[in-house]
Amino acid sequence: MNRALLELHGAGQLRRGLLPLSRHLSHLQSVNSSYAQSCCYPKLAQSYMHASCRALQLRQASHSSSSRHFHARSQIAQNFQAAQAHTLSPTRLQTLHAAVAANLPVFVFHPAERYFPCTVEWFLQRCELQLIRKGWKRSLLRVLCRQGELDGNALKAAQGQFNEEPDKKRKLMQLSLCPHARAGQADAINQVPVYAHVKEVVDPQGKLEAVEINYMKFLAFNGSYKLFDWIYIGEVGAHDGDWEHVTLRLTPDAGQVLGIYYSAHRHRDGRWVSANDMPRTPDGRPLSYVALNGHGSYPRAGFIPRIFLAFNDRTGQGQVWDPKECVLVTQDAVPQVTSRGSELDGSSYPSGHLAQNSPEVKLQQDPAAWLAYEGKWGSTVEAPALQEWFARAEHPVSRSWLAQVFFPLAPGIESIWEPFQEEVEERVQEVQRQIDEAMDDTWETAEEWKREVQHLQRRMENTSGEVRQMLQKQLHQLLRQKDKS
């Protein structure tokens, strides 16, 4: 696996930001405690302590929001650190690679589908990489790479440059596809590979529980939805770049297939199907039906109710994508992830037991430099390596049709919510900056005042009579002045 993933450092930045803050508050508390020991300025000490603690609360609230934002990246970094140390034996790798090839799914599209899979390289050649200002009204700052200039290595290099970008928290990178390329590689669909990511699932005690294989399909464009399947209301749900996946779960030795997770719409809308009920091709490979335009994966063809019956999915018996190639992005280091459980019934069938008579699947290992890219694929889609299912074990339970209809995870909802969230985060960061500046100014003033008080006190210790009374009067004036302020 490309080790650039280990450069995801959001959690480290968070820790580096909180530690100085904690030390700063401890210093403030110790200083304020010494101030409070004097009865001459309790009001100042109390107000200063209150301001310090309030500022800390605001900063911690802001960092708490940031910690949730960086959780996925932190988890990914942890998983791949473990993967780096967990290099498997050649025999084990051969077994896992054989399981990947033997169980490569076959995908069936709806007859009316217009947007098909493509390779990442084909997609990048038809994209430009843009630097965008975040916020409710996103705006283009500049074009980083033009069409024809992009490949995996260029995308990785652009990510490295973005990491050095000033004020990068207010910016993002996104890939914008040429509209003429939205159909993907429809004419050569069987030459388009599926991308595979292998994980070993362990229980809390570290015992190997299962093997999971994420089979990732990449499509050039996600089409729009129609209200109640016939009313056109604009490009609802449409976006460039569409990463979708199914997850095959096998026994620890990778010898038996236990079931498959059909992911749809941010993967929590998916469902598990046990081995006994899993649809398969005549040669024993898993079968997946792809929803019209949205490209979610389902175990059957037909009507799938969703979102108050207003935005539904439909699958059908259209063009078949029988991939002859699979690209392994995991390579020699297979990450171990903690089990989240599974609702499978325990049934199984031998992995690849019918695949010997099928055409051989070409398995290739790719450095996948594009995995280091942390920006958007299109306007809304997160980079695959930053999505939850890539870094963790698969979602443990199926989502019922009642939940899909009445408690929906709407497709494309990020396109509405995310810019608003970015605007709020930007405002929070601006307030935090102002608080930091105010605290720095207050701290400098307090330090100067403390030094002046100590200087007067030392002079009083070494004097007596009228001089001492004069110095004491100056000290009280100074304390009253600061207490009023």
Side-chain angles (χ1 to χ4, degrees):
M1 167 60 69
N2 194 310
R3 302 304 176 198
L5 286 168
L6 297 175
E7 298 170 5
L8 301 174
H9 57 281
Q13 289 178 331
L14 179 62
R15 288 192 294 272
R16 289 193 292 273
L18 285 175
L19 287 176
L21 181 60
S22 300
R23 290 194 292 267
H24 184 61
L25 180 65
S26 299
H27 193 184
L28 288 177
Q29 288 173 333
S30 64
V31 171
N32 286 330
S33 297
S34 65
Y35 288 173
Q37 291 173 1
S38 171
C39 61
C40 298
Y41 45 94
K43 182 179 176 181
L44 176 63
Q46 291 173 4
S47 62
Y48 188 53
M49 175 68 82
H50 175 76
S52 303
C53 293
R54 180 57 181 159
L56 176 69
Q57 291 169 357
L58 290 172
R59 290 190 65 177
Q60 285 180 328
S62 174
H63 280 300
S64 176
S65 174
S66 299
S67 67
R68 289 191 295 271
H69 177 75
F70 286 127
H71 170 74
R73 296 186 178 186
S74 174
Q75 182 66 44
I76 293 167
Q78 291 173 13
N79 285 339
F80 280 92
Q81 285 169 354
Q84 191 176 31
H86 185 66
T87 302
L88 302 179
S89 68
T91 303
R92 176 65 171 171
L93 280 174
Q94 186 177 2
T95 300
L96 293 178
H97 291 176
V100 171
N103 296 286
L104 185 64
V106 173
F107 300 92
V108 182
F109 288 90
H110 190 277
E113 183 61 66
R114 295 183 297 158
Y115 309 114
F116 290 94
C118 64
T119 67
V120 169
E121 292 75 15
W122 186 94
F123 179 83
L124 293 179
Q125 281 292 307
R126 289 156 181 81
C127 281
E128 68 176 20
L129 182 62
Q130 302 173 340
L131 184 65
I132 303 294
R133 184 190 181 279
K134 291 182 179 180
W136 185 248
K137 295 182 179 179
R138 287 182 176 176
S139 58
L140 176 65
L141 296 176
R142 65 179 184 272
V143 175
L144 301 177
C145 292
R146 301 193 178 278
Q147 285 185 34
E149 299 176 354
L150 269 177
D151 58 15
N153 290 323
L155 202 60
K156 178 182 176 181
Q159 181 63 52
Q161 294 171 3
F162 178 80
N163 291 340
E164 305 300 324
E165 185 81 17
D167 204 17
K168 68 176 182 179
K169 289 184 178 180
R170 298 186 180 186
K171 304 170 186 176
L172 62 83
M173 290 189 294
Q174 73 176 31
L175 292 165
S176 180
L177 179 67
C178 171
H180 299 296
R182 290 177 174 176
Q185 294 179 268
D187 296 334
I189 189 171
N190 287 338
Q191 277 66 56
V192 175
V194 171
Y195 298 90
H197 174 47
V198 184
K199 294 171 285 190
E200 291 187 332
V201 181
V202 297
D203 64 18
Q205 287 72 43
K207 181 181 178 181
L208 188 60
E209 181 179 293
V211 171
E212 287 187 354
I213 306 172
N214 299 133
Y215 289 105
M216 304 179 287
K217 59 181 187 285
F218 181 63
L219 301 100
F221 190 76
N222 189 100
S224 60
Y225 279 78
K226 292 182 178 180
L227 184 64
F228 300 110
D229 298 325
W230 65 277
I231 303 175
Y232 179 75
I233 55 172
E235 296 299 299
V236 175
H239 57 79
D240 295 339
D242 192 17
W243 282 102
E244 302 284 350
H245 77 283
V246 297
T247 298
L248 197 73
R249 189 175 176 95
L250 301 95
T251 53
D253 62 358
Q256 297 279 326
V257 175
L258 298 172
I260 190 171
Y261 185 81
Y262 290 93
S263 172
H265 307 293
R266 306 303 179 261
H267 95 274
R268 287 185 298 277
D269 237 6
R271 61 171 297 188
W272 283 101
V273 176
S274 297
N276 283 345
D277 301 319
M278 184 167 53
R280 288 184 278 166
T281 63
D283 61 358
R285 291 163 61 188
L287 196 60
S288 174
Y289 292 89
V290 181
L292 176 64
N293 288 344
H295 305 140
S297 300
Y298 294 98
R300 61 180 178 84
F303 173 80
I304 298 96
R306 298 184 67 249
I307 313 178
F308 308 109
L309 302 178
F311 298 97
N312 306 298
D313 272 343
R314 291 185 179 275
T315 56
Q317 300 284 353
Q319 185 167 352
V320 176
W321 178 24
D322 185 3
K324 299 298 186 294
E325 183 176 339
C326 182
V327 176
L328 269 172
V329 299
T330 309
Q331 295 197 26
D332 294 339
V334 176
Q336 286 191 340
V337 296
T338 303
S339 174
R340 302 171 69 190
S342 170
E343 64 177 32
L344 297 175
D345 61 14
S347 62
S348 64
Y349 65 83
S351 171
H353 72 295
L354 296 177
Q356 291 83 359
N357 298 323
S358 63
E360 183 177 356
V361 171
K362 180 182 178 182
L363 198 66
Q364 72 175 56
Q365 292 178 290
D366 186 352
W370 46 267
L371 276 175
Y373 173 65
E374 301 173 25
K376 303 289 187 182
W377 295 71
S379 59
T380 65
V381 178
E382 286 279 2
L386 299 184
Q387 297 191 33
E388 184 183 20
W389 52 265
F390 194 92
R392 305 178 66 191
E394 188 55 86
H395 195 65
V397 296
S398 300
R399 192 167 170 86
S400 69
W401 71 269
L402 284 173
Q404 291 177 352
V405 172
F406 296 108
F407 301 95
L409 297 170
I413 192 71
E414 291 84 353
S415 62
I416 300 174
W417 166 251
E418 190 171 34
F420 174 74
Q421 183 181 13
E422 290 169 357
E423 190 76 20
V424 171
E425 288 179 353
E426 183 174 340
R427 297 292 177 85
V428 169
Q429 290 168 5
E430 179 63 23
V431 171
Q432 177 184 327
R433 184 186 63 79
Q434 294 174 0
I435 291 173
D436 290 343
E437 291 178 355
M439 287 184 67
D440 290 341
D441 293 341
T442 303
W443 178 250
E444 291 175 3
T445 303
E447 282 290 301
E448 293 175 1
W449 173 61
K450 181 183 176 183
R451 286 194 295 269
E452 188 174 353
V453 168
Q454 291 173 344
H455 175 67
L456 287 172
Q457 288 175 337
R458 284 195 298 269
R459 290 185 61 186
M460 287 171 59
E461 291 174 357
N462 299 323
T463 59
S464 61
E466 294 181 359
V467 177
R468 180 181 178 89
Q469 291 176 0
M470 182 185 66
L471 292 174
Q472 190 172 10
K473 185 178 179 180
Q474 291 179 5
L475 176 60
H476 281 292
Q477 288 175 349
L478 178 63
L479 295 177
R480 281 197 300 270
Q481 180 183 357
K482 289 295 182 181
D483 199 19
K484 290 179 182 179
S485 64

